[in-house]
Amino acid sequence: MLNIKEENYLQILFILSIIILSSAFIIEYGFGYQPCNLCTIERIPYGLAIIILALNYNFKKNQIFFSVLLILIFSFSIIISVYHFGIEQDFFDESKVCASKNLNLLTKEEILNSLKEFNVSCKNVAFKIFGLSLTTYNILVSLIMLFISIKIFLLSNDIKK
């Protein structure tokens, strides 16, 4: 079995979070694929993880607290990704989260301007890698990162004993 130190697990989470966020921005701005609202929400856990891991680096006394936060964040990431996958596969109907951002338009000009904006449906998969949507990959990566976070929590509890 691999004998990896707690610090290395933290570095793995940090590097993976940066790679995932960078990839999402490259796909959006470099390749021109517009994300749906849920795709944008799925980025939040990685940004939070980067912030928490940076704080953890400075405040090592609170390792258990930070590892519990990471567990919660990646659990949330899995839930959102599974929900998004369910919408893509027609298991669930699109929710208000997937709806247009411009629901409260009052004037004719606002309505005409909103028609110029391109709103991506959460149901339509615009970008696939090896036939799988990015949401599918996000589920797998979030599971891996959740297990790493649990491992960090268990290692920090062993250190405290």
PDB file of all heavy atoms in Angstrom, residues 18 26 28 30 46 73 91 94 101 112 121 123 135 149 151 156 158:
ATOM      1  N   ILE A  18      -6.508  23.112  -9.037  1.00  0.00           N
ATOM      2  CA  ILE A  18      -6.004  24.114  -9.990  1.00  0.00           C
ATOM      3  C   ILE A  18      -6.116  23.600 -11.423  1.00  0.00           C
ATOM      4  O   ILE A  18      -6.552  24.327 -12.321  1.00  0.00           O
ATOM      5  CB  ILE A  18      -4.550  24.517  -9.650  1.00  0.00           C
ATOM      6  CG1 ILE A  18      -4.543  25.346  -8.369  1.00  0.00           C
ATOM      7  CG2 ILE A  18      -3.911  25.286 -10.803  1.00  0.00           C
ATOM      8  CD1 ILE A  18      -3.169  25.686  -7.851  1.00  0.00           C
ATOM      9  N   ILE A  26     -10.077  27.015 -19.800  1.00  0.00           N
ATOM     10  CA  ILE A  26      -9.506  26.825 -21.142  1.00  0.00           C
ATOM     11  C   ILE A  26     -10.582  26.347 -22.108  1.00  0.00           C
ATOM     12  O   ILE A  26     -10.673  26.832 -23.244  1.00  0.00           O
ATOM     13  CB  ILE A  26      -8.314  25.840 -21.098  1.00  0.00           C
ATOM     14  CG1 ILE A  26      -7.124  26.503 -20.407  1.00  0.00           C
ATOM     15  CG2 ILE A  26      -7.953  25.357 -22.500  1.00  0.00           C
ATOM     16  CD1 ILE A  26      -5.979  25.556 -20.095  1.00  0.00           C
ATOM     17  N   GLU A  28     -13.765  26.870 -21.808  1.00  0.00           N
ATOM     18  CA  GLU A  28     -14.715  27.965 -22.023  1.00  0.00           C
ATOM     19  C   GLU A  28     -14.133  29.079 -22.883  1.00  0.00           C
ATOM     20  O   GLU A  28     -14.715  29.472 -23.893  1.00  0.00           O
ATOM     21  CB  GLU A  28     -15.183  28.530 -20.687  1.00  0.00           C
ATOM     22  CG  GLU A  28     -16.166  29.669 -20.841  1.00  0.00           C
ATOM     23  CD  GLU A  28     -16.667  30.235 -19.519  1.00  0.00           C
ATOM     24  OE1 GLU A  28     -16.335  29.686 -18.452  1.00  0.00           O
ATOM     25  OE2 GLU A  28     -17.398  31.244 -19.567  1.00  0.00           O
ATOM     26  N   GLY A  30     -10.804  29.332 -24.190  1.00  0.00           N
ATOM     27  CA  GLY A  30      -9.884  28.945 -25.260  1.00  0.00           C
ATOM     28  C   GLY A  30     -10.583  28.282 -26.430  1.00  0.00           C
ATOM     29  O   GLY A  30     -10.321  28.590 -27.589  1.00  0.00           O
ATOM     30  N   TYR A  46     -14.124  23.568  -6.307  1.00  0.00           N
ATOM     31  CA  TYR A  46     -12.681  23.573  -6.562  1.00  0.00           C
ATOM     32  C   TYR A  46     -12.054  24.904  -6.142  1.00  0.00           C
ATOM     33  O   TYR A  46     -10.944  24.927  -5.599  1.00  0.00           O
ATOM     34  CB  TYR A  46     -12.394  23.243  -8.028  1.00  0.00           C
ATOM     35  CG  TYR A  46     -12.931  21.882  -8.381  1.00  0.00           C
ATOM     36  CD1 TYR A  46     -14.075  21.747  -9.153  1.00  0.00           C
ATOM     37  CD2 TYR A  46     -12.328  20.730  -7.893  1.00  0.00           C
ATOM     38  CE1 TYR A  46     -14.595  20.498  -9.450  1.00  0.00           C
ATOM     39  CE2 TYR A  46     -12.836  19.475  -8.177  1.00  0.00           C
ATOM     40  CZ  TYR A  46     -13.973  19.371  -8.948  1.00  0.00           C
ATOM     41  OH  TYR A  46     -14.491  18.126  -9.222  1.00  0.00           O
ATOM     42  N   ILE A  73     -17.257  19.871   1.153  1.00  0.00           N
ATOM     43  CA  ILE A  73     -17.193  20.512  -0.162  1.00  0.00           C
ATOM     44  C   ILE A  73     -17.257  19.478  -1.284  1.00  0.00           C
ATOM     45  O   ILE A  73     -18.009  19.625  -2.246  1.00  0.00           O
ATOM     46  CB  ILE A  73     -15.922  21.379  -0.280  1.00  0.00           C
ATOM     47  CG1 ILE A  73     -16.107  22.650   0.536  1.00  0.00           C
ATOM     48  CG2 ILE A  73     -15.594  21.704  -1.731  1.00  0.00           C
ATOM     49  CD1 ILE A  73     -14.854  23.465   0.675  1.00  0.00           C
ATOM     50  N   PHE A  91     -33.050  11.792 -16.475  1.00  0.00           N
ATOM     51  CA  PHE A  91     -33.604  11.212 -15.249  1.00  0.00           C
ATOM     52  C   PHE A  91     -34.386  12.269 -14.480  1.00  0.00           C
ATOM     53  O   PHE A  91     -35.323  11.954 -13.772  1.00  0.00           O
ATOM     54  CB  PHE A  91     -32.496  10.656 -14.350  1.00  0.00           C
ATOM     55  CG  PHE A  91     -31.693   9.545 -14.962  1.00  0.00           C
ATOM     56  CD1 PHE A  91     -30.326   9.451 -14.730  1.00  0.00           C
ATOM     57  CD2 PHE A  91     -32.278   8.581 -15.772  1.00  0.00           C
ATOM     58  CE1 PHE A  91     -29.574   8.429 -15.280  1.00  0.00           C
ATOM     59  CE2 PHE A  91     -31.532   7.565 -16.334  1.00  0.00           C
ATOM     60  CZ  PHE A  91     -30.174   7.479 -16.090  1.00  0.00           C
ATOM     61  N   GLU A  94     -35.093  19.697 -16.085  1.00  0.00           N
ATOM     62  CA  GLU A  94     -34.273  20.873 -15.803  1.00  0.00           C
ATOM     63  C   GLU A  94     -34.968  21.730 -14.745  1.00  0.00           C
ATOM     64  O   GLU A  94     -36.176  21.913 -14.778  1.00  0.00           O
ATOM     65  CB  GLU A  94     -34.050  21.700 -17.067  1.00  0.00           C
ATOM     66  CG  GLU A  94     -33.007  21.113 -17.971  1.00  0.00           C
ATOM     67  CD  GLU A  94     -32.696  22.017 -19.135  1.00  0.00           C
ATOM     68  OE1 GLU A  94     -33.567  22.155 -20.002  1.00  0.00           O
ATOM     69  OE2 GLU A  94     -31.586  22.583 -19.163  1.00  0.00           O
ATOM     70  N   LYS A 101     -31.138  33.410 -17.107  1.00  0.00           N
ATOM     71  CA  LYS A 101     -30.826  34.347 -16.025  1.00  0.00           C
ATOM     72  C   LYS A 101     -31.743  35.567 -16.067  1.00  0.00           C
ATOM     73  O   LYS A 101     -31.808  36.328 -15.126  1.00  0.00           O
ATOM     74  CB  LYS A 101     -29.368  34.799 -16.151  1.00  0.00           C
ATOM     75  CG  LYS A 101     -28.378  33.674 -16.056  1.00  0.00           C
ATOM     76  CD  LYS A 101     -26.993  34.165 -16.397  1.00  0.00           C
ATOM     77  CE  LYS A 101     -26.064  32.983 -16.568  1.00  0.00           C
ATOM     78  NZ  LYS A 101     -24.806  33.336 -17.147  1.00  0.00           N
ATOM     79  N   LEU A 112     -35.405  42.195 -25.835  1.00  0.00           N
ATOM     80  CA  LEU A 112     -34.636  42.073 -27.080  1.00  0.00           C
ATOM     81  C   LEU A 112     -33.161  41.820 -26.792  1.00  0.00           C
ATOM     82  O   LEU A 112     -32.520  41.017 -27.474  1.00  0.00           O
ATOM     83  CB  LEU A 112     -34.824  43.319 -27.941  1.00  0.00           C
ATOM     84  CG  LEU A 112     -36.207  43.483 -28.585  1.00  0.00           C
ATOM     85  CD1 LEU A 112     -36.321  44.826 -29.287  1.00  0.00           C
ATOM     86  CD2 LEU A 112     -36.494  42.344 -29.546  1.00  0.00           C
ATOM     87  N   SER A 121     -28.451  25.108 -22.311  1.00  0.00           N
ATOM     88  CA  SER A 121     -29.298  24.214 -21.536  1.00  0.00           C
ATOM     89  C   SER A 121     -28.426  23.229 -20.760  1.00  0.00           C
ATOM     90  O   SER A 121     -27.392  22.772 -21.259  1.00  0.00           O
ATOM     91  CB  SER A 121     -30.230  23.446 -22.470  1.00  0.00           C
ATOM     92  OG  SER A 121     -30.893  22.423 -21.787  1.00  0.00           O
ATOM     93  N   LYS A 123     -29.222  20.328 -20.201  1.00  0.00           N
ATOM     94  CA  LYS A 123     -29.495  19.021 -20.791  1.00  0.00           C
ATOM     95  C   LYS A 123     -28.546  18.706 -21.940  1.00  0.00           C
ATOM     96  O   LYS A 123     -28.202  17.550 -22.168  1.00  0.00           O
ATOM     97  CB  LYS A 123     -30.940  19.024 -21.297  1.00  0.00           C
ATOM     98  CG  LYS A 123     -31.588  17.698 -21.349  1.00  0.00           C
ATOM     99  CD  LYS A 123     -33.008  17.852 -21.837  1.00  0.00           C
ATOM    100  CE  LYS A 123     -33.923  17.724 -20.657  1.00  0.00           C
ATOM    101  NZ  LYS A 123     -35.307  17.478 -21.034  1.00  0.00           N
ATOM    102  N   THR A 135     -19.366  16.458 -16.915  1.00  0.00           N
ATOM    103  CA  THR A 135     -20.074  16.172 -15.662  1.00  0.00           C
ATOM    104  C   THR A 135     -19.731  14.777 -15.164  1.00  0.00           C
ATOM    105  O   THR A 135     -19.539  14.570 -13.961  1.00  0.00           O
ATOM    106  CB  THR A 135     -21.592  16.309 -15.875  1.00  0.00           C
ATOM    107  OG1 THR A 135     -21.872  17.630 -16.324  1.00  0.00           O
ATOM    108  CG2 THR A 135     -22.352  16.024 -14.613  1.00  0.00           C
ATOM    109  N   SER A 149      -9.783  13.451   0.835  1.00  0.00           N
ATOM    110  CA  SER A 149     -10.127  14.302   1.983  1.00  0.00           C
ATOM    111  C   SER A 149     -10.412  13.457   3.223  1.00  0.00           C
ATOM    112  O   SER A 149     -10.014  13.823   4.335  1.00  0.00           O
ATOM    113  CB  SER A 149     -11.346  15.168   1.663  1.00  0.00           C
ATOM    114  OG  SER A 149     -11.089  15.995   0.572  1.00  0.00           O
ATOM    115  N   LYS A 151      -9.132  10.514   3.770  1.00  0.00           N
ATOM    116  CA  LYS A 151      -7.808  10.007   4.172  1.00  0.00           C
ATOM    117  C   LYS A 151      -7.042  11.073   4.978  1.00  0.00           C
ATOM    118  O   LYS A 151      -6.415  10.754   5.994  1.00  0.00           O
ATOM    119  CB  LYS A 151      -7.015   9.599   2.925  1.00  0.00           C
ATOM    120  CG  LYS A 151      -5.665   9.035   3.203  1.00  0.00           C
ATOM    121  CD  LYS A 151      -5.733   7.680   3.846  1.00  0.00           C
ATOM    122  CE  LYS A 151      -4.352   7.096   3.989  1.00  0.00           C
ATOM    123  NZ  LYS A 151      -4.360   5.803   4.648  1.00  0.00           N
ATOM    124  N   SER A 156      -5.079  13.020  10.123  1.00  0.00           N
ATOM    125  CA  SER A 156      -4.980  14.080  11.132  1.00  0.00           C
ATOM    126  C   SER A 156      -5.493  13.603  12.474  1.00  0.00           C
ATOM    127  O   SER A 156      -5.015  14.053  13.511  1.00  0.00           O
ATOM    128  CB  SER A 156      -5.685  15.356  10.761  1.00  0.00           C
ATOM    129  OG  SER A 156      -6.516  15.299   9.710  1.00  0.00           O
ATOM    130  N   ASP A 158      -5.141  10.501  13.535  1.00  0.00           N
ATOM    131  CA  ASP A 158      -4.067   9.647  14.053  1.00  0.00           C
ATOM    132  C   ASP A 158      -2.950  10.488  14.661  1.00  0.00           C
ATOM    133  O   ASP A 158      -2.355  10.107  15.659  1.00  0.00           O
ATOM    134  CB  ASP A 158      -3.486   8.778  12.935  1.00  0.00           C
ATOM    135  CG  ASP A 158      -4.438   7.656  12.540  1.00  0.00           C
ATOM    136  OD1 ASP A 158      -5.375   7.352  13.314  1.00  0.00           O
ATOM    137  OD2 ASP A 158      -4.250   7.072  11.445  1.00  0.00           O
TER     138      ASP A 158
END
